């Protein structure tokens, strides 16, 4: 079984996907984290932000010997656990540009399909229901008001001890929404057969139960 959860930043995808996975005994794959791993690698190599045209070539090269691993919802880059580092604002700042590169997407989608082979999986991302698994058993498209999404992300980061401003987070969310939904390769959009759920004024519990009902009536 494949369940696809797509939607913009902060709409609640990963929180909900984790809870549904636990409840249903599914494997959870956070595909956004994979794009974050590539972005962190590019940042560590000093590729992003100062190299203009060469940047694209260098990022493509970096894919050839990319060493990433995902085990029990922890994310490894060159064998180091970077699960916390990939959530840092500097990664959020750059990830949408990296994720817009065709070669990056091809590699990640390939890995996502391999990871999901002969497993019951719930994946969250931007293009799961449209590109990665167009035949998914259930497709959910989560949305929420941008101000509410910024508040949620702000609370998460503050809890982790990050020094962030809510305005910056709000701007980053709007910027990523724009890049993600207007890019040429696999833009963020609702699949025709996806069920849209607006989480703005719903509790996590409510959304989880709504989705569990859909999963159960789908089996
Ligand atoms: O958790 P949050 O909503 O902040 O974002 P994420 O799921 O970690 O994804 C980070 C970025 O990766 C997104 O803004 C997209 O640019 C990209 N992404 C993508 O292009 N395709 C996916 N399937 C998942 C993420």
């Amino acid at each position: 079984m494949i369940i696809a959860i797509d939607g913009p930043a902060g709409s609640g995808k990963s929180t909900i996907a984790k809870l549904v996975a636990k409840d249903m005994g599914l494997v959870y794959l956070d595909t956004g984290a994979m794009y974050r791993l590539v972005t962190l690698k590019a940042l560590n190599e000093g590729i992003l932000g100062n190299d203009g045209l060469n940047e694209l070539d260098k990022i493509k090269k970096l894919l050839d010997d990319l060493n990433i691993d995902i085990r029990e919802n922890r994310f490894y880059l060159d064998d180091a656990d970077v699960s916390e580092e990939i959530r840092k604002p500097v990664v959020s700042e750059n990830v949408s540009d990296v994720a817009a590169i065709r070669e990056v997407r091809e590699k990640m989608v390939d890995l996502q399909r391999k990871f999901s082979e002969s497993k019951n999986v719930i994946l969250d991302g931007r293009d799961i229901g449209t590109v990665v698994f167009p035949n998914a058993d259930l497709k959910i498209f989560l949305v929420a008001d941008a101000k509410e999404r910024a508040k949620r992300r702000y609370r998460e980061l503050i809890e982790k001890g990050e020094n962030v401003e809510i305005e910056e987070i709000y701007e980053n969310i709007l910027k990523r929404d724009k890049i993600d939904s207007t890019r040429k390769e696999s833009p963020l959009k609702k699949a025709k057969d996806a069920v849209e759920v607006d989480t703005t004024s719903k509790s996590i519990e409510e959304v989880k139960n709504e989705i569990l009902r859909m999963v159960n009536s789908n089996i």
Side-chain angles (χ1 to χ4, degrees):
M1 177 168 55
I2 300 279
I3 302 178
I5 305 201
D6 289 303
S11 54
K13 301 180 301 290
S14 68
T15 307
I16 295 299
K18 271 185 214 156
L19 291 171
V20 172
K22 196 161 172 228
D23 219 273
M24 305 278 311
L26 307 172
V27 177
Y28 165 55
L29 181 60
D30 175 352
T31 67
M34 298 172 70
Y35 293 94
R36 288 174 178 271
L37 285 170
V38 181
T39 307
L40 180 63
K41 175 82 178 170
L43 284 165
N44 288 348
E45 308 253 312
I47 293 176
L48 292 172
N50 38 30
D51 214 10
L53 276 180
N54 287 333
E55 208 171 284
L56 189 61
D57 282 341
K58 287 186 178 165
I59 292 175
K60 287 188 205 164
K61 260 212 197 87
L62 178 149
L63 292 171
D64 293 337
D65 48 15
L66 184 71
N67 174 12
I68 64 174
D69 202 4
I70 305 164
R71 295 191 303 270
E72 286 154 29
N73 285 329
R74 302 294 297 176
F75 297 89
Y76 299 83
L77 178 64
D78 299 322
D79 301 321
D81 185 343
V82 292
S83 309
E84 273 78 39
E85 222 177 323
I86 55 171
R87 309 288 166 195
K88 299 228 176 226
V90 63
V91 177
S92 303
E93 234 353 274
N94 289 283
V95 64
S96 286
D97 289 330
V98 173
I101 302 169
R102 180 167 55 86
E103 289 80 357
V104 171
R105 305 206 66 81
E106 281 170 358
K107 175 126 187 176
M108 294 304 114
V109 170
D110 196 41
L111 290 172
Q112 288 154 22
R113 291 187 180 137
K114 285 202 178 109
F115 177 94
S116 308
E117 241 162 35
S118 53
K119 289 193 190 97
N120 291 319
V121 190
I122 183 164
L123 304 94
D124 80 345
R126 303 291 187 286
D127 59 341
I128 309 302
T130 50
V131 174
V132 186
F133 288 112
N135 297 322
D137 299 277
L138 178 66
K139 300 181 188 179
I140 312 279
F141 197 76
L142 286 189
V143 296
D145 171 77
K147 287 237 158 73
E148 172 63 24
R149 293 190 277 126
K151 265 194 238 158
R152 291 175 188 170
R153 189 49 49 91
Y154 176 72
R155 282 197 296 261
E156 258 173 43
L157 289 166
I158 290 291
E159 263 170 38
K160 285 183 192 161
E162 290 286 335
N163 181 14
V164 286
E165 299 286 338
I166 192 156
E167 290 76 22
E168 278 170 27
I169 297 191
Y170 180 61
E171 291 307 318
N172 175 255
I173 280 186
L174 293 186
K175 182 178 138 197
R176 280 202 284 141
D177 283 359
K178 181 147 187 246
I179 301 176
D180 293 347
S181 48
T182 56
R183 70 183 175 213
K184 205 165 125 251
E185 304 294 331
S186 315
L188 164 68
K189 64 167 192 245
K190 179 176 166 289
K192 283 199 190 75
D193 50 350
V195 183
E196 183 167 314
V197 178
D198 187 335
T199 71
T200 309
S201 49
K202 287 182 180 147
S203 68
I204 292 171
E205 193 65 16
E206 272 176 281
V207 180
K208 183 188 96 172
N209 289 335
E210 202 171 321
I211 292 175
L212 282 176
R213 272 197 299 278
M214 289 185 223
V215 179
N216 284 316
S217 65
N218 226 3
I219 296 175

